[in-house]
Amino acid sequence: MRIRATVAAVSGALAISAFVAPAAHAAGTAPNVTFSNVKVNKGSSMVVGTTKASFSVTYTVTHPSTLKASDFATGPAIYRGTSVTKPSDLFVSDDPGTCTAASSTVLNCKASLVFTVNGDSDLTNSEAGSWNVGAVAVSADGEKWVGGLGTTKVLRATKLTVNATPEPVKKGKTVTVTGSLTRANWDTHKYGAFGSQSVKLQFRKKSASTYTTLKTVKSSSTGALKTTTTATVDGYYRYSFAATSTSGTANATGDYIDVQ
């Protein structure tokens, strides 16, 4: 979630319960740790719709033998701006990472980045795109923010529908394929028309396992799709949309046509 409050101690164990921007944190002795092997969502973009979405982050923490793993907590962050300590936008894991000791000084950790897309922690449409990856380590005495651990993307989810008619159809006759392309609007928390986008019409034979692209069409200003093709054999028609710099991919569920 978007960083809002600070580090808290719960029942004697450190926990990242809420956050504020790094500049607002009190100075102290930061945990002497390093982060490596940070992977957000297994290396894939985080595609967020209009409801809560959670994405796994794995990372490695190396600490000196003099620092006990129980004396600090860690979590992943994503940010935009010049640095993680002076970000224009900053999100961090709701909870500290769960770590397993690989050795006396190395921890393999897992945490989650959660986007609610409502309330105080809204994503906004302007925040779709590339983000930098960072992390934070906190103890009772201080904290350490680390940036430059890679990049990731937070994208607006897209949806596609399809309808092929007539059903059934005679071989060699025209099949009309309609549908619509919509995209998550993080400002309104609804899906809206995604116009003027290139969308592929694809076909899969009844006996095949993969789709073949037949043509590319443009969505209208209302996100509507419509084109025609010639019926050849029984199979499934669908529309397919490739990701953009701010929007995720989408494939419509194939619509079966019986060719007679």
Side-chain angles (χ1 to χ4, degrees), residues 11-206:
S11 301
L14 291 173
I16 304 175
S17 61
F19 301 84
V20 290
H25 291 170
T29 303
N32 183 23
V33 305
T34 59
F35 294 90
S36 59
N37 304 320
V38 182
K39 184 167 287 190
V40 178
N41 196 30
K42 298 181 180 180
S44 298
S45 298
M46 294 181 284
V47 181
V48 182
T50 57
T51 58
K52 182 177 179 180
S54 178
F55 302 92
S56 174
V57 184
T58 56
Y59 57 98
T60 299
V61 176
T62 303
H63 62 92
S65 58
T66 54
L67 180 63
K68 295 180 181 179
S70 58
D71 289 340
F72 66 94
T74 61
I78 60 171
Y79 65 97
R80 302 171 93 173
T82 57
S83 70
V84 70
T85 55
K86 294 181 179 180
S88 56
D89 285 308
L90 181 61
F91 282 79
V92 72
S93 59
D94 287 4
D95 299 306
T98 301
C99 301
T100 302
S103 71
S104 60
T105 59
V106 177
L107 303 172
N108 291 325
C109 304
K110 183 177 181 179
S112 295
L113 288 170
V114 180
F115 304 95
T116 57
V117 200
N118 56 49
D120 292 338
S121 58
D122 278 355
L123 278 168
T124 62
N125 291 339
S126 63
E127 292 173 323
S130 295
W131 288 72
N132 298 307
V133 177
V136 59
V138 295
S139 68
D141 299 319
E143 62 193 59
K144 180 178 183 178
W145 289 85
V146 178
L149 298 177
T151 60
T152 188
K153 290 183 178 181
V154 185
L155 303 180
R156 295 164 63 181
T158 56
K159 291 182 179 181
L160 274 170
T161 62
V162 67
N163 183 42
T165 57
E167 303 175 55
V169 64
K170 291 184 178 181
K171 184 176 181 179
K173 294 297 184 180
T174 297
V175 175
T176 300
V177 187
T178 58
S180 67
L181 175 65
T182 57
R183 179 170 60 161
N185 186 321
W186 294 339
D187 296 335
T188 64
H189 312 151
K190 299 178 181 180
Y191 278 83
F194 197 12
S196 302
Q197 301 300 308
S198 295
V199 180
K200 294 179 179 178
L201 174 66
Q202 298 183 328
F203 178 74
R204 175 171 67 86
K205 293 181 181 179
K206 182 180 180 180

